Amino acid sequence: MSGTLKGILINTSGVVQGVGFRYFVQRTACRYGLVGYVKNLPDSSVETYAEGEESTLKAFLDDVRIGPSYAHVSAVRVDWIGYKGKFKDFRIEL
């Protein structure tokens, strides 16, 4: 990696649970070579934390804003965070 390493915390709401959203996020993150996690939250939103190059994270965020075909993303909250380096892969957390 040659770019600036960052972390991004994304909270996605709308119709994002029970429609394959977490699997979509995991596949997309792996395609971009990102590490981190995605998990459902009790308020029916989905939390995603990813780390990688800033430019790659921006492209990933664009895809997350759209989501899979059965999802309907109505709101996305984004917090840029310093790189932690504690993840080795991208996983779905329960």
Side-chain angles (χ1 to χ4, degrees):
M1 291 187 195
S2 60
T4 303
L5 295 176
K6 297 264 187 169
I8 189 171
L9 182 64
I10 307 166
N11 182 277
T12 312
S13 56
V15 180
V16 292
Q17 289 192 13
V19 293
F21 190 83
R22 290 178 301 157
Y23 299 99
F24 168 83
V25 170
Q26 182 188 40
R27 282 191 313 271
T28 304
C30 290
R31 191 177 76 232
Y32 282 116
L34 302 174
V35 297
Y37 67 85
V38 60
K39 68 179 179 180
N40 286 341
L41 296 179
D43 67 357
S44 298
S45 67
V46 173
E47 178 179 283
T48 303
Y49 178 77
E51 291 184 338
E53 291 186 14
E54 185 175 7
S55 60
T56 304
L57 289 169
K58 288 178 179 178
F60 171 69
L61 177 59
D62 288 342
D63 288 345
V64 170
R65 288 182 191 277
I66 297 167
S69 59
Y70 291 109
H72 175 75
V73 177
S74 61
V76 178
R77 189 179 72 233
V78 177
D79 294 308
W80 289 92
I81 298 172
Y83 178 77
K84 296 178 185 177
K86 70 178 190 175
F87 298 96
K88 298 200 182 305
D89 59 6
F90 196 95
R91 64 184 176 268
I92 295 174
E93 293 189 348
L94 302 178

